[in-house]
Amino acid sequence: MGVYAVTGSASGMGRAVVDKLTAAGHTVIGVDIQAADVVADLSTGEGRRGAVREVLSLAGGKLDGAVLAAGVGPVPGADRLPLIASVNYLGVVELLDGWRAALAASGSAKVVVFGSNSTTTTPAVPRRTVKALLSGDTAKAARTVRLFGKTAPPMMYAGSKIAVTRWVRRHATTQEWAGAGIRLNVLAPGAIMTPLLEKQLSTPSEAKVIRRFPVPVGGFGDAGQLGDWVVFMLSDAANFLCGSVVFVDGGSDAYFRPDAWPRPVPVSRLVPYAWKFLRYSGNR
Ligand code: NAI
């Protein structure tokens, strides 16, 4: 049986994951702003450092996996932009950085980060928003979307999820992560019926947009079923899953972008391998 850290453990999909892991006999250390083993506000540096420290202490320095589900939706209000950025981006990457050695200690750890299908279905998310986040500057990221007015929160939300997804894909294949036996992957849900979505549906203008959004299979996703996907991505079935982004969104991503992916690798990315190959051939 394993030891798992789950953020966003008090509600929605994080809560579903906790229930399923616990029922299967695993030990779960829940992290949330309320009602959790580790109570921490992931929007602050102090809260994130506390969450890292307390989880490591409760886990005894070894984690078999982590699920990063804490997140803030695209709540209205310009003052909420830094909050969305800090919880959804720093609340993932700073915790993973802090837990990396404990995950490596397990030898075959799995990490599931909650992305979102907003990453591929929100138009015109500024590149500089994502760039600012990847450099860790949440205040700058917030400034880059302010000019969008009422649509700034969905921009910030999508930007934070793009940045966190990109962070996972950049790190997943490195010596520090894949090389240390840690599988980093992203689960990208569509609209799933949880308190986060219920909050959005309670705002008439947002509800109209959400209900009109094309979902080929129809309706909303179920939090328990998303929990099953997470448990699967934490199991041995995921030993060969690395840097993947798994969309569970009723088909919206495929509907909007049927030909966007897969794409051939850019030639520039292969140049270092061509040199290595030429050098190798020359040595023979
Ligand atoms: P939820 O609102 O039910 O749960 C989110 C949890 O994060 C809550 O327990 C909340 O207390 C915690 N949290 C929020 N701010 C925090 C903070 N500052 N410090 C510590 N904990 C904090 O949401 P849901 O729907 O279960 O979302 C889980 C993840 O899935 C989130 O990352 C969300 O962005 C993502 N997601 C959700 C979708 C949906 O339609 N529900 C769609 C796509 C992605």
Side-chain angles (χ1 to χ4, degrees), residues 15-41:
R15 174 78 184 270
V17 171
V18 172
D19 291 347
K20 283 172 194 290
L21 288 175
T22 310
H26 299 293
T27 300
V28 179
I29 304 164
V31 180
D32 209 295
I33 200 163
Q34 37 118 17
D37 304 304
V38 173
V39 173
D41 180 355

Side-chain angles (χ1 to χ4, degrees), residues 7-15 31-34 38-44 68-74 83 86-88 92 113-118 157 160-161 187-200 220-221 223:
T7 74
S9 58
S11 171
M13 292 183 269
R15 174 78 184 270
V31 180
D32 209 295
I33 200 163
Q34 37 118 17
V38 173
V39 173
D41 180 355
L42 300 179
S43 71
T44 69
L68 290 299
V72 179
L83 176 78
S86 55
V87 177
N88 295 4
V92 174
V113 169
F114 271 79
S116 161
N117 79 341
S118 64
Y157 181 78
S160 70
K161 294 295 186 178
L187 182 65
I192 312 299
M193 193 46 84
T194 67
L196 185 148
L197 182 65
E198 280 163 12
K199 212 176 286 169
Q200 289 182 269
F220 298 119

Side-chain angles (χ1 to χ4, degrees), residues 25-282:
H26 299 293
T27 300
V28 179
I29 304 164
V31 180
D32 209 295
I33 200 163
Q34 37 118 17
D37 304 304
V38 173
V39 173
D41 180 355
L42 300 179
S43 71
T44 69
E46 195 188 333
R48 294 188 291 271
R49 285 189 292 277
V52 167
R53 220 175 27 242
E54 283 188 53
V55 167
L56 290 178
S57 151
L58 288 171
K62 179 171 161 276
L63 282 169
D64 296 291
V67 178
L68 290 299
V72 179
V75 276
D79 57 324
R80 309 284 282 187
L81 299 175
L83 176 78
I84 300 171
S86 55
V87 177
N88 295 4
Y89 182 75
L90 297 178
V92 174
V93 307
E94 289 187 4
L95 266 54
L96 285 177
D97 273 335
W99 293 340
R100 200 199 64 83
L103 290 160
S106 112
S108 179
K110 317 284 189 312
V111 173
V112 181
V113 169
F114 271 79
S116 161
N117 79 341
S118 64
T119 52
T120 57
T121 62
T122 307
V125 178
R127 274 193 203 167
R128 57 188 194 285
T129 309
V130 177
K131 203 171 155 198
L133 284 171
L134 284 165
S135 73
D137 193 339
T138 50
K140 185 174 177 188
R143 283 198 300 276
T144 64
V145 294
R146 276 227 163 91
L147 63 123
F148 290 99
K150 272 192 185 160
T151 56
M155 287 284 182
M156 187 74 257
Y157 181 78
S160 70
K161 294 295 186 178
I162 293 172
V164 86
T165 301
R166 213 163 277 176
W167 185 93
V168 166
R169 297 208 10 112
R170 286 181 181 181
H171 289 76
T173 57
T174 61
Q175 202 52 35
E176 288 75 26
W177 296 88
I182 309 166
R183 278 64 158 187
L184 281 180
N185 292 290
V186 173
L187 182 65
I192 312 299
M193 193 46 84
T194 67
L196 185 148
L197 182 65
E198 280 163 12
K199 212 176 286 169
Q200 289 182 269
L201 289 172
S202 67
T203 314
S205 57
E206 277 189 67
K208 213 157 113 185
V209 176
I210 293 168
R211 292 194 188 280
R212 280 190 186 159
F213 192 77
V215 180
V217 303
F220 298 119
D222 173 78
Q225 290 175 4
L226 270 289
D228 287 331
W229 277 93
V230 172
V231 171
F232 187 58
M233 290 168 75
L234 295 174
S235 75
D236 286 349
N239 280 352
F240 210 51
L241 192 71
C242 174
S244 291
V245 183
V246 179
F247 280 80
V248 182
D249 74 340
S252 307
D253 173 64
Y255 173 83
F256 280 117
R257 312 167 68 250
D259 302 330
W261 186 91
R263 286 258 167 114
V265 63
V267 173
S268 59
R269 188 84 182 133
L270 292 174
V271 167
Y273 299 93
W275 278 115
K276 269 185 204 152
F277 177 73
L278 286 175
R279 274 220 318 263
Y280 174 71
S281 319

